[in-house]
Amino acid sequence: MIPPIITPPYPVDALPPELARLVTEIQAKVQAPDALICMAILSAISAASQSLVDVLLPTGQLRPVSTNFLTIAESGERKSAVDGIVSAPIHAHDEARAAKYQENLSRYICDMKVWRAKDQVLRGKLKKAAHQDESTDEIQEQWEAHEKKKPISPRLRQLVRQDISERALIEALEGDCESIALMSDEGEAVLKGSAMTTFSVHNRVWDGAKMLTLDRGRGVHIVVRHPRGTMSIMVQPAMLKDYLRRHGELARGSGFWARVLVGAPPSTQGFRFVYWYNEQWVYLPGFHGGIKELLEEYDRRLAEGPIKREVLEFSPEAVTRWIALTNQVEAMLQPFGYLNDIKDFASKSMEMAGRLAALLHFFTKQQGKISLNALECAFFIVRWHIDEFKRLFGHHAGAPQIQSDAKALEFYLHTHFYQGGNLTAPRNAVLHAGPIRPVARFNEVLDYLVACGKVWIGLVGRRRFINPGPNFGVP
């Protein structure tokens, strides 16, 4: 089994009907790639929902519903248009927060002037009493009461962040149950931020860490409790390639990439013919209303005190299916398995399916536990991203041709000879029936496998046989 060479259509039909209709509506008006639209919609739902609910996986782990997306698309694919349409209520909410912050800041500045004036008066009274050797008890009580009335500086809460450092990321999440979203239709701004060169904070937020801390020195400590964070980056291939050249090994090795649903949909440019245009939106207002409702509910709960998130659980039928799907994925991690070269991502794929199932269940206001249908829909979506991750980051991706051919020949030897217990393969039979031809190319690839310790060549009379070496099946 090999990954598709060309990205297949996004599984739009796996989405709940109201979201599938929304995708069709946006695609009809904007004519952007289907995956770009779907990933923007799912990331908006994640950003709006992550502060209100968690999901209890069938493994017993309580996890966030936050999801990370990376959409790879060339300039001109209408990334900005899609982001502007889908994320409009999120940006509007941030604008309203900023306006409210300015009002509160003006009030705070005035209140501080009054407070400082009263503070100076109390200081004068204290100095005078101390100078005249009079009792200062009453003044101290007044001062203590005055200190308690010191105005608190307002805090600007913004959900969407872009060019941000790791320190600023932690500062944005300071407190209890804070929520942010690294979202940009021009991903270069996010990728160039220093927060995208170290990944421990991102990974811990995605994992649902109960507490993060940062020591700023001089006795100042930042404490972050129960943070939530969504990521949605739309980036051009050249920008991503440059980022991967500089930081790709660390991003993959740290496990960060394994926590990201990636997609590089085929271009629609050259096929976006216009025959009619209807300015009326039928399904978008309902989607915007749902996002706005969740954001306002988060603000309301935040104002009331510490947030207690709702916990979503899976139905018994969904749990049974979860176990079956988990075992299917696990089997494909074996040597020569389809997921063997992307084990890091595949190992988290069922958790991602669980998060998406919870998001779809919650946003569409389903009652009770997460249904079997929601899990199946989520897995269809994740399976598409599995193929994309393998196509973009698997061993074959960008590998020299001889390595790809060697992998194919090794897989053929395993499936047609060695796994059945026959630990020898006639060289001529492999040449005539195997995946590598002509003979000159076959010999070159076979020599490569021998040099790598994957196989060794034995002679029986005048016949040559290919035998498994010490490194056969080793990635």
Side-chain angles (χ1 to χ4, degrees):
M1 189 175 181
I2 60 174
I5 298 175
I6 300 176
T7 304
Y10 203 83
V12 177
D13 291 342
L15 295 171
E18 55 266 55
L19 295 181
R21 289 191 290 266
L22 174 62
V23 173
T24 302
E25 182 174 53
I26 296 175
Q27 195 168 26
K29 293 179 180 293
V30 183
Q31 300 192 65
D34 55 359
L36 193 156
I37 297 170
C38 291
M39 293 166 73
I41 289 172
L42 292 173
S43 63
I45 293 174
S46 172
S49 305
Q50 63 185 2
S51 301
L52 302 175
V53 291
D54 288 331
V55 59
L56 183 65
L57 299 177
T59 58
Q61 295 174 296
L62 184 63
R63 308 298 270 177
V65 294
S66 308
T67 48
N68 296 333
F69 292 92
L70 175 68
T71 308
I72 307 165
E74 290 283 5
S75 177
E77 294 297 345
R78 300 178 176 171
K79 299 186 292 293
S80 298
V82 171
D83 178 71
I85 291 170
V86 173
S87 301
I90 295 177
H91 297 304
H93 188 75
D94 273 354
E95 290 174 5
R97 278 180 165 183
K100 185 67 174 178
Y101 168 76
Q102 289 299 326
E103 292 179 9
N104 294 338
L105 182 62
S106 297
R107 187 179 303 111
Y108 165 76
I109 292 173
C110 293
D111 291 345
M112 276 300 297
K113 289 179 180 179
V114 173
W115 185 88
R116 284 172 179 157
K118 292 181 179 179
D119 189 70
Q120 289 297 325
V121 171
L122 289 173
R123 285 177 183 272
K125 288 183 178 180
L126 183 63
K127 287 181 180 180
K128 181 178 179 181
H131 182 72
Q132 297 177 355
D133 200 23
E134 297 176 352
S135 173
T136 61
D137 292 346
E138 183 178 351
I139 299 175
Q140 284 179 312
E141 290 179 4
Q142 293 176 1
W143 209 342
E144 288 176 4
H146 176 65
E147 280 293 330
K148 293 178 181 179
K149 296 178 181 178
K150 185 175 182 178
I152 299 175
S153 176
R155 176 176 181 174
L156 174 59
R157 285 187 170 91
Q158 286 183 298
L159 181 60
V160 176
R161 308 284 175 140
Q162 294 184 357
D163 185 1
I164 190 171
S165 66
E166 184 177 41
R167 176 169 172 171
L169 179 64
I170 294 180
E171 289 176 343
L173 293 169
E174 182 179 8
D176 196 1
C177 295
E178 294 292 334
S179 173
I180 66 168
L182 293 177
M183 300 177 71
S184 176
D185 58 308
E186 294 294 340
E188 183 181 7
V190 177
L191 294 179
K192 285 188 174 181
S194 61
M196 293 299 292
T197 59
T198 55
F199 306 101
S200 60
V201 174
H202 290 289
N203 290 348
R204 294 188 65 191
V205 171
W206 190 89
D207 291 341
K210 293 183 178 180
M211 186 171 72
L212 302 174
T213 59
L214 175 66
D215 189 348
R216 297 179 60 182
R218 297 184 179 182
V220 179
H221 303 276
I222 296 178
V223 179
V224 175
R225 293 184 175 85
H226 311 104
R228 294 294 181 263
T230 288
M231 186 186 81
S232 176
I233 300 176
M234 300 178 183
V235 65
Q236 297 177 24
M239 300 299 176
L240 179 62
K241 183 177 180 180
D242 180 65
Y243 174 80
L244 292 176
R245 178 182 58 79
R246 293 180 289 112
H247 306 294
E249 186 174 346
L250 179 59
R252 185 76 183 267
S254 67
F256 174 70
W257 261 177
R259 294 168 167 85
V260 180
L261 295 170
V262 299
S267 175
T268 58
Q269 295 185 54
F271 301 92
R272 300 175 299 195
F273 303 110
V274 178
Y275 300 101
W276 61 275
Y277 186 76
N278 182 358
E279 294 184 358
Q280 182 180 3
W281 290 93
V282 178
Y283 303 109
L284 184 64
F287 175 77
H288 281 177
I291 296 293
K292 182 180 179 182
E293 179 183 342
L294 295 177
L295 295 174
E296 291 177 347
E297 175 64 14
Y298 170 62
D299 284 350
R300 186 187 66 79
R301 294 190 191 182
L302 200 62
E304 292 178 351
I307 292 177
K308 186 176 181 181
R309 298 186 180 98
E310 179 184 353
V311 177
L312 302 178
E313 301 182 26
F314 286 86
S315 68
E317 298 82 7
V319 171
T320 300
R321 180 58 174 159
W322 170 285
I323 294 172
L325 291 172
T326 299
N327 289 336
Q328 287 180 22
V329 171
E330 186 66 25
M332 288 190 283
L333 300 180
Q334 297 174 6
F336 299 106
Y338 180 62
L339 303 178
N340 179 260
D341 58 338
I342 57 167
K343 290 185 286 189
D344 51 345
F345 179 80
S347 295
K348 296 186 183 299
S349 60
M350 285 308 301
E351 177 172 341
M352 292 182 181
R355 294 180 183 219
L356 285 178
L359 285 173
L360 297 177
H361 175 92
F362 179 67
F363 186 75
T364 56
K365 298 183 179 180
Q366 301 300 307
Q367 301 299 315
K369 297 184 177 182
I370 301 171
S371 67
L372 172 61
N373 181 64
L375 177 61
E376 293 282 15
C377 292
F379 186 73
F380 270 114
I381 294 170
V382 170
R383 189 169 64 182
W384 184 92
H385 286 284
I386 288 175
D387 289 339
E388 279 292 88
F389 195 95
K390 185 174 179 66
R391 184 174 69 87
L392 297 169
F393 300 116
H395 280 167
H396 70 283
Q401 186 61 44
I402 192 169
Q403 292 184 13
S404 299
D405 290 347
K407 204 71 177 170
L409 182 55
E410 189 179 10
F411 181 71
Y412 177 82
L413 290 168
H414 173 72
T415 55
H416 288 74
F417 294 95
Y418 304 153
Q419 76 172 359
N422 184 10
L423 298 183
T424 186
R427 182 252 185 205
N428 288 341
V430 175
L431 170 61
H432 294 305
I436 307 300
R437 284 185 296 274
V439 64
R441 185 62 182 165
F442 175 81
N443 288 335
E444 184 181 359
V445 173
L446 190 59
D447 289 343
Y448 179 83
L449 287 177
V450 171
C452 293
K454 300 281 190 177
V455 300
W456 59 277
I457 308 299
L459 288 173
V460 178
R462 298 179 62 182
R463 299 181 66 193
R464 284 180 288 178
F465 291 83
I466 306 172
N467 307 288
N471 294 331
F472 189 85
V474 178

